[in-house]
C-alpha cells in the first residue's frame, strides 16, 4: 500500500533562513506528488506539483525516485510562509494519500 | 480560481440521528468529488470517491452503509452520516476535481 511520511510535525525557523520540509513516500507505481498548504483558518490549497517543476512563492520541490523523497525547499523563509504543509501522493483515480503534515513557523 | 463550498460549516446532532453534508463546486463542473475525514491534529484520510451518475467508491475500512454518498449532479455531492455516534465526530472535507483538486472549507460534525 502507498504511504507518505513527513517526519517533522513541527518546524521552526527564523525569517530569512532556509527551510526544508521533508517528505518520503512508498508506492509501487509511478508517483505523482504534490505539496498542499493550509494557512491559518483557510482551506487546503495546492502549492505545487512535481510534474510542473515550477517554483511557487519561492518554494521548489524535486522528486528523487532513488531516495523516494519529495522535499520542499525555500532559500529564504518569510513570516507569511507560516502554515501547515502536507505532502500528498496521487494514485489511481486521482486519489490522494496525505502525509501527517508539518507545521512551519517562521519567526521574525 | 475554482471554489468549492460545504454546507453546513458545523453541525451538532444527537446520537442515532442522521446528518447530511453538501459539497458544491460553485464555478466549475466536477465529475469526481472526494470526501476526506480529518481527526484533530491528524492528516486527511480519504473516505470515498464520488462520481457523478454512478456509485461511490469507498476506501478500505470505510462503512458504505454508514457514510452514504450521492453525486446527484456535476456540481453537487452529498455525504450522509447515518445513525451517527460520538465516534463519528470529526472534520469532514470534500474536494472537487478539475485538473487539480479544489478543497472545501470543511464541516465540523459533533455527535452528542
Amino acid at each position: 500500500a502507498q504511504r507518505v511520511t513527513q517526519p517533522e510535525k513541527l518546524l521552526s525557523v527564523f525569517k530569512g533562513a532556509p527551510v526544508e520540509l521533508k517528505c518520503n513516500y512508498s508506492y509501487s507505481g509511478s508517483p505523482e506528488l504534490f505539496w498542499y498548504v493550509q494557512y491559518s483558518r483557510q482551506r487546503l490549497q495546492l502549492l505545487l506539483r512535481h510534474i510542473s517543476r515550477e517554483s511557487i512563492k519561492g518554494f521548489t520541490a524535486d522528486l528523487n525516485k532513488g531516495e523516494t523523497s519529495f522535499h520542499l525547499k525555500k532559500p529564504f523563509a518569510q513570516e507569511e510562509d507560516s502554515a501547515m504543509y502536507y505532502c500528498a501522493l496521487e494514485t489511481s483515480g486521482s486519489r490522494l494519500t496525505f502525509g501527517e503534515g508539518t507545521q512551519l513557523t517562521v519567526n521574525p | 480560481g475554482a471554489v468549492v463550498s460545504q454546507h453546513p460549516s458545523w453541525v451538532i446532532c444527537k446520537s442515532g440521528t442522521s446528518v447530511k453534508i453538501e459539497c458544491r463546486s460553485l464555478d466549475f463542473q466536477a465529475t469526481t468529488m472526494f470526501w476526506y475525514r480529518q481527526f484533530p491534529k491528524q492528516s486527511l484520510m480519504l473516505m470515498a470517491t464520488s462520481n457523478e451518475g454512478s456509485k461511490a467508491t469507498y476506501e478500505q475500512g470505510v462503512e458504505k452503509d454508514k457514510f452514504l454518498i450521492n453525486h446527484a449532479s456535476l456540481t453537487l455531492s452529498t455525504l450522509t452520516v447515518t445513525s451517527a455516534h460520538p465516534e463519528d465526530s470529526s472534520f469532514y472535507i470534500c474536494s472537487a476535481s478539475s485538473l487539480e483538486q479544489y478543497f472545501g472549507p470543511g464541516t465540523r460534525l459533533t455527535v452528542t
Side-chain angles (χ1 to χ4, degrees):
Chain A
Q2 67 276 2
R3 186 182 176 96
V4 177
T5 304
Q6 293 180 248
E8 304 135 330
K9 286 203 168 190
L10 303 171
L11 185 61
S12 183
V13 300
F14 285 103
K15 176 182 174 182
V19 62
E20 181 180 53
L21 290 82
K22 291 184 168 54
C23 171
N24 288 90
Y25 67 92
S26 63
Y27 182 50
S28 57
S30 182
E32 297 227 13
L33 286 143
F34 302 80
W35 277 99
Y36 284 85
V37 61
Q38 188 169 27
Y39 299 102
S40 180
R41 300 183 185 280
Q42 294 187 28
R43 66 188 67 194
L44 201 63
Q45 58 185 282
L46 178 65
L47 180 62
L48 54 80
R49 64 186 89 186
H50 91 270
I51 57 173
S52 60
R53 301 185 65 81
E54 57 193 344
S55 173
I56 302 294
K57 298 183 179 183
F59 285 97
T60 59
D62 291 316
L63 177 60
N64 186 322
K65 292 186 178 181
E67 296 184 357
T68 60
S69 68
F70 188 55
H71 303 328
L72 183 67
K73 300 177 184 179
K74 184 169 183 176
F76 307 103
Q78 302 299 314
E79 289 180 68
E80 55 265 30
D81 296 328
S82 296
M84 187 69 149
Y85 291 81
Y86 293 98
C87 182
L89 169 70
E90 184 180 275
T91 57
S92 61
S94 300
R95 290 150 63 233
L96 292 175
T97 298
F98 284 88
E100 293 292 319
T102 297
Q103 179 67 51
L104 173 65
T105 300
V106 181
N107 300 296
Chain B
V3 179
V4 175
S5 70
Q6 282 184 241
H7 178 80
S9 55
W10 60 271
V11 58
I12 301 173
C13 71
K14 292 189 175 181
S15 188
T17 63
S18 297
V19 61
K20 180 185 287 187
I21 302 170
E22 292 186 349
C23 176
R24 292 181 185 273
S25 55
L26 298 185
D27 49 4
F28 66 102
Q29 294 182 330
T31 55
T32 303
M33 292 184 175
F34 301 89
W35 287 95
Y36 297 85
R37 184 172 179 176
Q38 186 175 32
F39 290 102
K41 299 189 184 298
Q42 293 189 29
S43 187
L44 287 79
M45 182 191 74
L46 179 64
M47 298 174 65
T49 303
S50 170
N51 297 297
E52 188 268 338
S54 64
K55 290 184 178 180
T57 305
Y58 291 82
E59 296 299 305
Q60 192 172 6
V62 178
E63 298 177 61
K64 62 180 181 180
D65 294 330
K66 180 162 194 61
F67 299 100
L68 300 179
I69 291 172
N70 182 271
H71 198 145
S73 74
L74 289 172
T75 60
L76 173 64
S77 175
T78 59
L79 168 69
T80 301
V81 183
T82 64
S83 187
H85 290 285
E87 56 264 32
D88 299 325
S89 298
S90 192
F91 196 58
Y92 293 88
I93 302 170
C94 74
S95 71
S97 183
S98 173
L99 299 180
E100 68 179 71
Q101 285 193 35
Y102 296 93
F103 287 81
T107 297
R108 172 76 59 195
L109 170 64
T110 301
V111 184
T112 61

